[in-house]
Amino acid sequence: MASNSAALASFVESTPPGELQDVTKAIKSILADDPSVLQSLAPAFEKYNEEQFTTVKLPGGSEEVIVSSHNSLGGGRYYDVANQSSFAFDHATQRASAVQSHVLEGSQSDLVKSLLKSLYQHTLEHYPKSSLGVYPIENDSAIAVVTVANKYSPNNFWNGRWRSHYIISPSASTLTGLLRVDVHYYEDGNVRLKTSKPVSVTLSSTSTTEISRQIALAEKKYQEDLNRAFGSLSEGAFKALRRQLPITRQKLEWDKISGYRLGQDIGGGRSR
């Protein structure tokens, strides 16, 4: 049982963006909905949601908030600075409940709120839909900035997630972080892109303006790097992986191969 649980936990932790409920459903069907096994997977669900910066709408809310280790209050509760609230989160179902008031206090509270306001404008401008979290961490000695942007299109067999994660140390005037993209495409196959880029910057000041500027520069450069990489892949490696469709734009029906005139019907060329 222990080995089975470990294997299932690895499935949970490696789940592509937006597909945890599908994986959970599959596990339940395999194990005949055994509650003891699902209970043993609770740590894996928690690890997945916190590492993926899972987003959730609070009851009665309109915008999604983030679940991460940085805004954990313990006992399955998390807080959101913008909404000044805390909530319980079920890691298996990814649902929030029991919302309560939670007012941020501490020596970094003013900078946290200022960054939240400034970076919200940045995410609003650059992401079609995203969630932003700014939290004091390490006993108020540092600040974590988390942005996650999800785009799910299961009807078209793909899902994707952008995650950016920064740690700001005001005393050392440094900003370190990690930018990550995870995209899964699974129509008639299974292709997954996972890429990341570390960020390390010495800040000229710890003002909101300087921190926001450096974050915007880092994300702009990463986006440009990704665009160049995708262009190279589409013309090189990806293009070589799979034969292009015939000029008819129809898939080849192999059971009728003997009836094709290869030069004309498939390649679009003139028969000789």
Side-chain angles (χ1 to χ4, degrees):
M1 179 63 74
S3 60
N4 289 338
S5 295
L8 292 173
S10 70
F11 292 152
V12 170
E13 292 170 13
S14 61
T15 299
E19 298 173 34
L20 184 62
Q21 297 307 313
D22 293 332
V23 170
T24 303
K25 184 178 179 180
I27 290 173
K28 286 181 177 180
S29 66
I30 293 171
L31 301 173
D33 207 8
D34 186 344
S36 65
V37 176
L38 289 176
Q39 186 175 2
S40 72
L41 293 176
F45 285 123
E46 180 176 352
K47 181 180 179 182
Y48 175 84
N49 286 316
E50 289 190 348
E51 288 186 350
Q52 292 293 319
F53 306 147
T54 293
T55 58
V56 61
K57 280 186 180 181
L58 301 183
S62 58
E63 295 187 354
E64 295 184 336
V65 300
I66 293 173
V67 171
S68 78
S69 61
H70 298 308
N71 61 324
S72 173
L73 296 171
R77 292 194 65 85
Y78 299 82
Y79 73 93
D80 181 67
V81 176
N83 288 297
Q84 298 187 64
S85 60
S86 69
F87 55 95
F89 184 74
D90 187 317
H91 287 281
T93 63
Q94 295 184 314
R95 293 178 181 173
S97 62
V99 178
Q100 299 176 1
S101 174
H102 183 90
V103 179
L104 182 66
E105 298 178 347
S107 60
Q108 302 287 2
S109 60
D110 288 343
L111 181 55
V112 166
K113 293 173 184 175
S114 179
L115 280 171
L116 191 63
K117 182 178 180 180
S118 175
L119 291 171
Y120 177 76
Q121 294 303 316
H122 164 73
T123 58
L124 195 65
E125 180 179 352
H126 291 89
Y127 300 94
K129 182 181 179 183
S130 65
S131 298
L132 170 69
V134 184
Y135 318 103
I137 60 172
E138 300 175 7
N139 296 319
D140 256 8
S141 65
I143 294 173
V145 175
V146 174
T147 301
V148 57
N150 301 309
K151 190 148 188 180
Y152 305 144
S153 186
N155 290 337
N156 294 309
F157 305 100
W158 64 264
N159 298 299
R161 173 173 294 144
W162 164 291
R163 286 174 289 164
S164 57
H165 174 213
Y166 306 95
I167 302 296
I168 302 155
S169 174
S171 62
S173 296
T174 58
L175 181 149
T176 57
L178 187 65
L179 309 179
R180 288 171 286 190
V181 169
D182 188 350
V183 180
H184 184 216
Y185 178 78
Y186 49 99
E187 182 180 18
D188 294 333
N190 188 32
V191 179
R192 188 172 182 183
L193 168 71
K194 295 181 72 175
T195 180
S196 63
K197 181 179 181 179
V199 175
S200 182
V201 177
T202 299
L203 301 168
S204 60
S205 74
T206 54
S207 67
T208 298
T209 301
E210 170 65 3
I211 294 171
S212 299
R213 185 178 74 87
Q214 291 294 346
I215 287 176
L217 285 173
E219 297 188 357
K220 180 176 183 291
K221 187 176 186 307
Y222 186 41
Q223 180 67 58
E224 291 172 345
D225 290 345
L226 286 174
N227 287 341
R228 283 193 292 269
F230 291 152
S232 298
L233 285 171
S234 65
E235 293 300 319
F238 279 165
K239 191 173 182 179
L241 282 174
R242 187 173 183 179
R243 185 184 301 277
Q244 293 183 1
L245 288 174
I247 199 168
T248 60
R249 311 306 297 170
Q250 301 295 317
K251 291 183 179 180
L252 187 63
E253 297 185 52
W254 292 102
D255 57 335
K256 299 179 181 178
I257 189 64
S258 61
Y260 284 110
R261 291 169 296 171
L262 293 180
Q264 185 171 352
D265 291 352
I266 298 176
R270 291 177 296 180
S271 58
R272 296 180 182 272

